[in-house]
Amino acid sequence: MTESPTEVDAALETVVTELGGERREGQHAMANAVSAAITGDSHVIVQAGTGTGKSLGYLVPAALHAVTENKAVIVATATLALQKQLVDRDLPRMAQALSPSLPRPVTFAVLKGRNNYICLQKLHGAIPEDESDALFTTQKSALAEQVIAVREWAEQSPTGDRDDYPDDIDPRVWRSLSVGRRECVGESRCSFGEECFTVKRRLEAQEADIVITNHAMLAIDALEGIPVLPEHSAVIIDEGHELVDRATAAVTSELNVPMIERALSRGRKHIDSRTYEMLQQAGEDFDDCLRLAAEPLAGPTQLKPVGSDVTLALTVIRDACHQAITEINADKESKDPESLAAKQHARGAIEEVHDTAGALLAGDDFDVIWLDPGEGRSPSLKLAPLSVAGLLREALFAKSPVVMTSATLTVGGGFDSLVASLGLSDEQVTTMDVGSPFDHAKQGILSVAKDLPAPGREGVAMEALDELAELNEAAGGRTLALFSSWR
Ligand code: SF4
């Protein structure tokens, strides 16, 4: 059964009434357009201004479609804040409100990349630490203390999700307790496969009607062809203004000396000493080339062409890594889970260096290669496609109906620039601006507090908070204070 626009209107009305809200025409227009796109196998871009209630504007038609057709819908956001809002607030309330009118309850799940979850094999020490990682686990330092705190939390956590940890986590600490796609041995060969947090989240996502994920996961699934998302019938992209940047970041390759050192450290026990020395020497040569080239640079700079010394170092790195991978694969004796995990850990790090060096060597006129001097860190060589438009068209829009939305999508009053950046023509996508229910000029007062001190490292100045309190009092409450950072 395919839901008609009136069903969408009725369902939206039910949910909004249940939540104590009032009818907003823009929200209904959006919900019907979203429904038409996902049931009619087409694409729609909706600019929905503040106050439209755009999340329900797409969640309600997505839920109706998913439940009646038994086909999952992916919802991708750019920020964790929106992801949390959808999962903690909008979805549970919508599911409850729709429950009496649907043949079964709407289900939903969150899916993030593997490295967002604790790896139980690492947590239980089944994978040896890198030498560099081991340093801070043995030192009496803030990092060592954080490792202990995160480990204690992980032992109790039902999710193992980094975002559920109540504090910031140093990336080095998190890296010592998580794995990337390449380093995971795979659930069937892992001693903790059945309890693995990532595996559990994936299974939940496979059963869910609505799967909440982020732009990066969507880009990896679509653009890199790595199937990380469950089968789905439609994709909804909220905070769509971020998609092109996030997709570009997801397909950007990066190579630096710490990556080579990590590969060496993990590979040491598994590869021949001559191969080890060849990669070590190539890494040192690469380091010299990058540091020399980075010296005069004030910031990231395109290398056109890439110098012959860099090309030579990359070639040796790629070939040494290839040899190392061959040697690791040739070892058929290690069969116990710990040895397999250690081998996979080494192979993953070496493969990453190998593939990135190969991609940098294969870069052509459709790619851009640049040197990031690193500002106090190691310089990095990076590669990205000049444009992801073609990739998005072929790998995302050609596969399933796509709904893109945000409060700000138009440039100069039109959608042309966005549509072109997605690799689409006007005929391939419907665009609409449902406006905002607020008359900002009449309903709001814009206050520009010019005399306040600029925000600094210490956070918001007391003067700013005093000003905010005064404004709040003057408005009799009814104030939303929006910050770009909560610190
Ligand atoms: S399956 Fe992979 S991610 Fe999960 S515990 Fe095992 S090694 Fe870690």
Side-chain angles (χ1 to χ4, degrees):
M1 189 181 79
T2 306
E3 65 276 5
S4 69
T6 50
E7 281 175 303
V8 173
D9 281 329
L12 184 58
E13 195 97 41
T14 302
V15 175
V16 170
T17 308
E18 196 70 20
L19 301 187
E22 54 193 46
R23 184 182 173 92
R24 296 170 196 179
E25 294 310 325
Q27 191 180 38
H28 279 260
M30 175 178 181
N32 284 310
V34 171
S35 176
I38 58 183
T39 57
D41 205 13
S42 58
H43 310 306
V44 66
I45 295 177
V46 186
Q47 176 162 284
T50 315
T52 303
K54 69 178 160 48
S55 47
L56 287 180
Y58 59 73
L59 287 178
V60 168
L64 293 185
H65 176 73
V67 170
T68 54
E69 302 291 328
N70 270 322
K71 289 178 176 171
V73 174
I74 302 289
V75 176
T77 73
T79 62
L80 182 64
L82 178 57
Q83 207 169 90
K84 274 186 168 298
Q85 178 202 309
L86 295 178
V87 175
D88 296 344
R89 212 190 61 174
D90 297 342
L91 276 163
R93 299 202 295 179
M94 179 198 72
Q96 196 179 7
L98 283 180
S99 171
S101 54
L102 289 178
R104 63 171 177 79
V106 187
T107 55
F108 54 90
V110 184
L111 191 59
K112 302 176 187 175
R114 188 178 297 275
N115 59 358
N116 285 277
Y117 302 103
I118 287 282
C119 166
L120 291 172
Q121 195 154 33
K122 260 195 166 178
L123 180 71
H124 295 290
I127 301 173
E129 305 278 0
D130 291 345
E131 284 169 12
S132 52
D133 293 342
L135 272 180
F136 62 80
T137 60
T138 52
Q139 281 175 350
K140 182 78 186 140
S141 66
L143 284 185
E145 278 170 22
Q146 194 176 58
V147 169
I148 294 166
V150 177
R151 276 180 174 276
E152 280 172 3
W153 163 81
E155 297 283 359
Q156 311 293 329
S157 169
T159 63
D161 184 338
R162 176 184 183 153
D163 295 323
D164 291 344
Y165 188 72
D167 215 337
D168 284 348
I169 303 179
D170 186 283
R172 289 165 293 176
V173 171
W174 187 254
R175 212 167 38 235
S176 75
L177 293 168
S178 62
V179 291
R181 171 178 53 84
R182 293 175 189 266
E183 298 156 324
C184 168
V185 284
E187 62 192 274
S188 58
R189 297 201 295 167
C190 174
S191 341
F192 299 90
E194 284 182 15
E195 303 119 83
C196 173
F197 291 121
T198 306
V199 173
K200 282 188 186 165
R201 296 292 88 75
R202 294 241 157 111
L203 290 175
E204 281 168 14
Q206 272 163 14
E207 300 297 319
D209 294 312
I210 296 179
V211 179
I212 306 294
T213 190
N214 54 41
H215 289 188
M217 286 283 278
L218 182 65
I220 290 167
D221 188 86
L223 307 190
E224 294 198 21
I226 300 165
V228 288
L229 298 178
E231 216 175 296
H232 51 272
S233 62
V235 173
I236 295 172
I237 303 164
D238 200 344
E239 301 177 310
H241 58 283
E242 294 269 4
L243 179 71
V244 170
D245 282 352
R246 302 283 171 131
T248 305
V251 294
T252 295
S253 306
E254 172 174 2
L255 187 63
N256 52 42
V257 171
M259 286 170 65
I260 299 170
E261 287 171 349
R262 195 156 50 238
L264 280 165
S265 159
R266 292 180 185 177
R268 180 191 284 273
K269 291 197 185 104
H270 307 275
I271 61 177
D272 189 271
S273 60
R274 280 164 301 180
T275 310
Y276 181 91
E277 279 159 23
M278 181 161 72
L279 182 55
Q280 190 177 40
Q281 184 59 53
E284 283 169 16
D285 293 345
F286 184 63
D287 193 25
D288 290 344
C289 299
L290 291 198
R291 284 188 190 282
L292 200 65
E295 244 172 41
L297 303 183
T301 304
Q302 185 177 2
L303 296 187
K304 202 176 175 189
V306 176
S308 56
D309 50 350
V310 175
T311 304
L312 181 62
L314 285 172
T315 307
V316 182
I317 289 168
R318 181 198 58 193
D319 294 349
C321 286
H322 179 77
Q323 177 60 27
I325 294 164
T326 307
E327 287 165 11
I328 292 174
N329 289 343
D331 169 20
K332 305 279 184 222
E333 281 169 23
S334 321
K335 290 209 170 66
D336 60 290
E338 279 72 25
S339 310
L340 287 174
K343 253 174 57 175
Q344 183 59 34
H345 210 48
R347 180 167 37 219
I350 296 170
E351 268 178 3
E352 189 177 9
V353 173
H354 171 268
D355 293 357
T356 311
L360 283 160
L361 286 166
D364 58 22
D365 289 348
F366 298 103
D367 297 312
V368 56
I369 294 179
W370 73 100
L371 178 59
D372 182 347
E375 286 178 17
R377 291 172 291 114
S378 288
S380 283
L381 202 55
K382 299 185 180 180
L383 168 131
L386 273 175
S387 162
V388 290
L391 280 171
L392 287 171
R393 182 185 59 238
E394 298 304 324
L396 180 63
F397 288 89
K399 298 282 166 60
S400 62
V402 176
V403 173
M404 177 178 277
T405 186
S406 172
T408 49
L409 288 172
T410 54
V411 176
F415 289 95
D416 294 357
S417 134
L418 173 68
V419 170
S421 72
L422 300 173
L424 301 174
S425 61
D426 291 347
E427 300 75 49
Q428 290 173 303
V429 60
T430 304
T431 56
M432 66 190 297
D433 183 352
V434 298
S436 164
F438 299 138
D439 183 343
H440 297 291
K442 281 195 184 144
Q443 292 175 281
I445 300 172
L446 177 66
S447 164
V448 181
K450 280 186 180 165
D451 50 344
L452 288 182
R457 283 183 169 276
E458 303 309 315
V460 180
M462 280 313 290
E463 291 92 326
L465 296 178
D466 290 342
E467 177 98 5
L468 196 57
E470 275 177 39
L471 287 170
N472 188 23
E473 261 173 48
R478 304 181 304 164
T479 305
L480 168 71
L482 201 59
F483 297 84
S484 57
S485 163
W486 59 273
R487 278 177 175 267

